[in-house]
Structures are given as structure tokens and as C-alpha cells.
Amino acid sequence: MNENFSEPNDSEVDELYARLDREAKQGGYFLNPDVEFVKGLVRGLLINERRYGYRACPCRLAADDKQQDLDIICPCYYRDADLSEFGACYCALYVSAAVLKGEKEPSCIPERRQPFMGRAAKPGSSGASPDAAPVKLSVPVWRCLVCGYLCGRERPPEVCPICKAGRERFERFI
Amino acid sequence: MNFEHVAGKERGKITLYALSTCIWCKRTRELLTALGVSFDYIYVDLLKGEDRTKAIEQVKHYNPSTSFPTLVIGDKSIVGFREKEIREAIG
Ligand code: SF4
């Protein structure tokens, strides 16, 4: 853990905020319309990036081990399920269209992530084992564990084109 | 473990386990401050070594999912920023 980092300044927060907003829209997601609330979380993401080396969820306790925290790098593996069920992600950084339109209020929601002892080695993983492939494929199919994007190619993309998750957060699906 | 103390009206023992980067934790702290009660809080993400392990154990005791904020009021615990419940518990 790096403890001697400089606190993110306002322009760094604004910059990441603008980027996340743009990327969210491109992927069909929405940031919480409460800009000050979101900027508070963005500051937390920047602090965690400096502290741990990756943008761990600001509302969860990171283990300071990227492998253990792969599921809670923002956007986390739980975002989509929480958006569908509660209209917001756990931190309420991302919200559903209904919340965006003011038809629903985001509120604090239960933690979907299992405590460490009960967590699978690869949280969220639901992929078939490659041997179980029903058909012979010319290339494997990879699934983004954050947003479910699927693609058929030799290796997963470096960055998910939909949610910007890194290659290490893909699983072999078929 | 060094808890930060916030002085105020005595309403029994109130302890807030929080994360320094979490906005719901911040809202909980602000609510307690606005209510003017005396409470202690700690940022678990800033702790190291034994203190961290000890704090996590304490949180787990009240809240097995070890999520934040975990607020302990007497022997009652409230997980998450639940404004109504917190106001009711403090009275
Ligand atoms: S998407 Fe997940 S990691 Fe990102 S802020 Fe929301 S809950 Fe936290």
C-alpha cells in the first residue's frame, strides 16, 4: 500500500469525472445526476488508485491485492445486477434510467459481494469449462465479468469496448 | 485502535466503523454530527496490521458481511446509511 500519495486535486477529479461520464454514456450506463455526490466518489477512486494501484470501489474495504480485489475494481462485477434490482450500484455512482429521470430515488442497498471466505476464486464466474464446449469453435468466446460483453477471438481484448474493464477481468465462456 | 471522538449529547455508546473514501459513510457521520450526539468513529481502510484485523473482527461481529458504514448504537447495529433507522435509534 502506498501511503505517501498526494491528495487528488479538483481538476484531477473533474477530469476523471468527465471521462467516466463520457464512457458511461457510450456504454449505455448513467452516472448519478447528483454531481457533488459523484465527485466525492471519484475522489475516492483516485485515492484508491494511488493507494492500491487500481481503482478499488470507494465504498468497500480493499484487500490491497489486485487478484483478491478484481471483482471490486470500478466498475465492479456487481454493478449490473444492482442496477437492475435497485436502480443504482452499491455506491450509487451509476444509476438506472428510472433514477436518472427522477422516477426513483437511489438509496443505500445491501452488499451483494460475499465476505471473503465465502467468495469463489473468481467471483461472478459462470463460464463453462473449455472442455465442455458444445460445438467446435474456430476461436474461443470470452465474457467480460463486469458487463457481460462477449467476443470470439484468440485472446480477450485489452480493454472491454463497452465498460472499459481490463483483460484480466474476462473469463473464457465457451 | 484510536477512535476519533466527536463530543455531543450523551445517548449511550455510539460507534461508527467507516471507510475514508465512502460517501454513504460520510453522510452517516454528517447525520450523527447534525443530530449533535457524542460518538466515536474510525476509518478502517486507514488502519494497518493488528489494528486493522481487530477492527474488521469487531465489524464482523455486528455485521457478518463486513460492509460499511456499520453503526453500533448500544447493542443495536445499523448497516448502511439508513437515515430513518438512525434517527429512530438515537431518539
Ligand atoms: S460500480 Fe461498483 S465499484 Fe464502482 S462505484 Fe459502483 S459499486 Fe463501487
Side-chain angles (χ1 to χ4, degrees):
Chain A
M1 191 188 312
N2 175 15
E3 285 169 75
N4 301 317
F5 59 85
S6 53
E7 284 283 323
N9 61 37
D10 289 350
S11 73
E12 288 168 319
V13 170
D14 289 347
E15 204 177 301
L16 180 58
Y17 171 80
R19 193 164 106 216
L20 292 181
D21 188 41
R22 195 175 57 238
E23 289 178 354
K25 286 190 185 118
Q26 281 167 359
Y29 291 92
F30 310 104
L31 292 186
N32 188 329
D34 184 339
V35 176
E36 283 319 302
F37 185 91
V38 170
K39 284 191 179 170
L41 290 168
V42 168
R43 189 175 296 275
L45 285 172
L46 285 167
I47 290 173
N48 282 351
E49 182 168 49
R50 288 167 198 194
R51 199 185 270 164
Y52 306 116
Y54 49 91
R55 278 190 222 139
C57 179
C59 307
R60 293 179 167 115
L61 184 61
D64 194 19
D65 171 341
K66 192 171 179 187
Q67 219 36 48
Q68 265 187 53
D69 287 338
L70 264 190
D71 59 327
I72 55 159
I73 295 174
C74 189
C76 61
Y77 291 175
Y78 314 103
R79 173 180 67 170
D80 287 11
D82 283 336
L83 280 174
S84 321
E85 194 174 342
F86 302 106
C89 72
Y90 184 62
C91 295
L93 174 63
Y94 293 94
V95 297
S96 66
V99 169
L100 186 72
K101 282 189 245 144
E103 291 163 8
K104 212 175 144 186
E105 271 277 302
S107 62
C108 103
I109 61 173
E111 171 62 299
R112 188 178 295 274
R113 187 190 204 207
Q114 294 294 309
F116 185 65
M117 293 308 284
R119 224 177 294 150
K122 206 177 180 193
S125 169
S126 56
S129 84
D131 319 333
V135 278
K136 214 165 167 38
L137 300 169
S138 56
V139 284
V141 175
W142 302 95
R143 173 177 175 268
C144 172
L145 288 162
V146 174
C147 73
Y149 165 75
L150 297 176
C151 59
R153 42 188 276 174
E154 287 304 336
R155 292 190 65 200
E158 228 161 288
V159 174
C160 174
I162 303 299
C163 73
K164 315 297 172 209
R167 168 176 284 166
E168 69 280 14
R169 305 175 82 199
F170 273 77
E171 68 172 1
R172 180 150 177 192
F173 192 58
I174 316 177
Chain B
M1 242 190 297
N2 285 326
F3 284 86
E4 292 289 332
H5 182 71
V6 178
K9 289 177 282 187
E10 279 309 324
R11 282 283 189 280
K13 194 165 166 48
I14 303 179
T15 312
L16 172 66
Y17 296 90
L19 299 178
S20 65
T21 51
C22 157
I23 304 302
W24 295 121
C25 298
K26 187 169 159 222
R27 295 234 161 146
T28 308
R29 213 187 80 195
E30 286 168 355
L31 174 62
L32 292 174
T33 308
L35 290 171
V37 292
S38 148
F39 69 99
D40 293 298
Y41 71 92
I42 198 158
Y43 287 134
V44 180
D45 58 322
L46 301 181
L47 300 176
K48 281 180 295 187
E50 216 178 289
D51 275 353
R52 187 182 167 101
T53 318
K54 234 161 90 195
I56 293 175
E57 263 166 35
Q58 290 178 7
V59 176
K60 211 175 265 171
H61 172 77
Y62 295 103
N63 166 18
S65 78
T66 332
S67 59
F68 298 88
T70 292
L71 178 63
V72 183
I73 303 177
D75 51 12
K76 187 181 160 56
S77 62
I78 300 175
V79 176
F81 175 63
R82 304 196 180 276
E83 184 168 352
K84 205 169 141 267
E85 273 182 52
I86 297 172
R87 284 180 183 277
E88 279 168 10
I90 285 172

